[in-house]
Amino acid sequence: KKQIIAGLILALALLVFLKKDYFLGELPRKIFGSHRFDSHVLQIVLSTATNDLSPYSLNLNDRTRAANIYQGLVAFDPSLKIVPALAVSWGNIDPVTWEFKLRREALFHDGTSFTAQDVADSFERAKIEGGGEIKSLLSSISKIVISDPRTFRVVTNEPDPLLLSKLTSFLISIPDNVGT
């Protein structure tokens, strides 16, 4: 038995050596397609088409893709606890005012620095361009006041204990849908 197994292994090794171009070139193309892949590009393949890659879509299929492009101020961890994302800290100044401190090292994909003005601009774009779902989530916010490039305040119309939870769906971008 050992001699038969060793012979089969030797024959297989010889076949691979003689047909290495087939096994290393043609066979993978037959299996995976004839696409040429750039080793510096991350490609994510999902089984369904997308309808909208904007940061304002709340469609689950679109959000799955958007999560690879954009980030929010806060996020849910696996146990649904709210954790920092682009904001590193937050707290209530009074019942209708929340203050947020932003991450210093965050950049947009084009290399632009992330600032409090970007949060305010994203909020204004969401109110204008966003669909009904995102507008509804942000409806309790009356204004965003910038204190400095890394600090801003969210002022709500009335106390909103669910604000942080709502902000997990609010993604930050700059024009042309460039994310962080």
Side-chain angles (χ1 to χ4, degrees):
K1 280 184 172 180
K2 288 181 183 179
Q3 290 176 342
I4 293 174
I5 292 173
L8 287 173
I9 291 173
L10 184 61
L12 183 62
L14 184 60
L15 179 65
V16 168
F17 178 76
L18 293 176
K19 297 285 188 171
K20 69 181 174 206
D21 291 336
Y22 176 78
F23 285 104
L24 298 176
E26 192 174 332
L27 184 61
R29 279 193 297 280
K30 286 183 178 181
I31 295 172
F32 301 111
S34 62
H35 306 292
R36 299 212 180 263
F37 297 102
D38 184 347
S39 63
H40 296 89
V41 175
L42 172 65
Q43 295 187 4
I44 299 171
V45 179
L46 298 172
S47 62
T48 54
T50 185
N51 297 320
D52 185 3
L53 280 179
S54 79
Y56 314 120
S57 175
L58 295 183
N59 171 292
L60 183 58
N61 183 38
D62 299 337
R63 291 292 283 191
T64 301
R65 288 165 172 80
N68 293 295
I69 302 170
Y70 312 105
Q71 196 170 19
L73 296 169
V74 293
F76 287 120
D77 73 2
S79 64
L80 299 180
K81 178 182 173 195
I82 294 175
V83 295
L86 291 173
V88 292
S89 65
W90 55 85
N92 282 103
I93 303 298
D94 59 51
V96 297
T97 307
W98 291 74
E99 183 172 81
F100 290 82
K101 301 277 186 185
L102 298 176
R103 191 172 302 283
R104 290 191 179 280
E105 67 277 4
L107 297 173
F108 286 97
H109 296 162
D110 66 358
T112 307
S113 292
F114 167 66
T115 67
Q117 185 64 52
D118 298 314
V119 176
D121 293 346
S122 290
F123 174 69
E124 291 302 320
R125 277 194 307 279
K127 287 191 328 187
I128 295 166
E129 300 172 20
E133 301 99 354
I134 195 70
K135 287 179 182 177
S136 176
L137 283 172
L138 302 176
S139 65
S140 67
I141 299 173
S142 66
K143 64 182 174 178
I144 294 180
V145 179
I146 299 170
S147 304
D148 64 53
R150 300 279 175 231
T151 308
F152 68 95
R153 292 182 179 181
V154 173
V155 180
T156 57
N157 299 318
E158 57 190 32
D160 186 355
L162 298 177
L163 181 68
L164 286 177
S165 185
K166 293 174 184 179
L167 288 178
T168 61
S169 295
F170 174 55
L171 303 175
I172 308 300
S173 69
I174 55 177
D176 297 325
N177 293 334
V178 177
T180 55

